[in-house]
Amino acid sequence: MEHVKCLIIGSGPAGYTAAIYAGRANLQPVEYCGMQMGGQLTQTTVVENFPGYPEGVDGNEMMAQLRRQAERFGTDIRDGIITAVDFSKRPYVVTTDRDVQLEADTVIIATGASAKYLGLDDEKKYNGLGVSACATCDGFFYRKKTVAVVGGGDTACEEALYLAQLCKKVYMIVRKSYLRASEVMQRRVFENEKIEVLFEHNTLGLFGEGGVEGAHLVRRKGEADESFVDIQIDGFFLAIGHKPNTEIFREWLDLDETGYIRTLNGTPRTKVPGVFAAGDCADPTYRQAIVAAGTGCQAALEAERYLQTL
């Protein structure tokens, strides 16, 4: 069985940054890229809010640059998915999708989280062409335009309020007859003249030539007074939650009710010594590339310190 000092699971900003720091510390890291090499940023077009890119940068190019930097410091980057882990004793054992097992003295989990989508074909068709799951990431591109936010919880309200600072109009598409958000968030939404809440509406599809130009909606779906309506929009934002990619760790680590990994005292440490979590898989609050990169750095530094105690 192959033995490694530092195994990194995931390849977004957190995973690649952890690899850079671990490589520079001569931990000879091995990194498995997972299902989506480069993470969620590879699903965006231009990233404008990551420091060091004054003109913005293509998400795929940014991840390629981070990968090259990690490889420069000796990271062994591999395609493949980790399908099972055994954290019962050291060294820890992981299994890949090719049924290969490895032993690791330390493990950095950077598996990220996946945005939830409605499941419409048009979401894929217009991905990067008007469909987004991150208002903070992409809202700037819709300045003085009209957008829609899908969802009725706190996250959807936060996204709508953020977009209202930039856009001329924001629709909230809410399938229920009420908002699930906290009272204070509801009040802020209802008091914002730029936001119009469309209660009891479901999205049937999107339309547009070369990009989103509108959405097909149904009001009071399945009821006697069901009706159909089209709205003209330039952007369509999903805010119905994220699912952290952490299921294989459930037996070994503490997860919150949504599945995010619980870490100790504001550090990347988990309850298992030598196992660390970085990036969106342990961050239900911020979910930003720069935050993920920072925790990737922390995780690698913690792994280095832990190895010095063995």
Side-chain angles (χ1 to χ4, degrees), residues 217-261:
L217 308 179
V218 56
R219 179 180 178 275
R220 292 180 56 79
K221 183 179 180 181
E223 301 296 329
D225 58 347
E226 176 184 274
S227 60
F228 299 89
V229 61
D230 288 352
I231 58 172
Q232 302 295 315
I233 56 174
D234 304 290
F236 185 78
F237 289 84
L238 282 302
I240 53 177
H242 285 72
K243 178 178 174 56
N245 305 316
T246 57
E247 191 60 35
I248 65 170
F249 310 110
R250 183 173 295 278
E251 180 181 354
W252 310 103
L253 303 179
D254 288 336
L255 310 181
D256 71 9
E257 61 278 3
T258 310
Y260 290 93
I261 298 172

Side-chain angles (χ1 to χ4, degrees), residues 192-204:
N192 194 305
E193 61 183 14
K194 288 187 177 181
I195 300 175
E196 180 180 346
V197 184
L198 303 177
F199 287 114
E200 297 185 277
H201 282 70
N202 286 273
T203 306
L204 298 176

Side-chain angles (χ1 to χ4, degrees), residues 256-284:
D256 71 9
E257 61 278 3
T258 310
Y260 290 93
I261 298 172
R262 296 185 188 274
T263 56
L264 305 178
N265 303 320
T267 74
R269 296 194 299 270
T270 70
K271 73 173 186 178
V272 178
V275 176
F276 310 94
D280 285 10
C281 67
D283 178 13

Side-chain angles (χ1 to χ4, degrees), residues 110-125:
T111 48
S114 301
K116 295 180 181 178
Y117 287 81
L118 298 174
L120 305 173
D121 289 340
D122 287 339
E123 289 172 316
K124 297 179 181 178
K125 176 180 177 181

Side-chain angles (χ1 to χ4, degrees), residues 9-11 31-37 78-82:
I9 307 174
S11 60
E31 180 175 15
Y32 275 83
C33 288
M35 294 180 62
Q36 190 175 50
M37 186 181 299
R78 304 177 183 179
D79 295 334
I81 302 168
I82 301 300

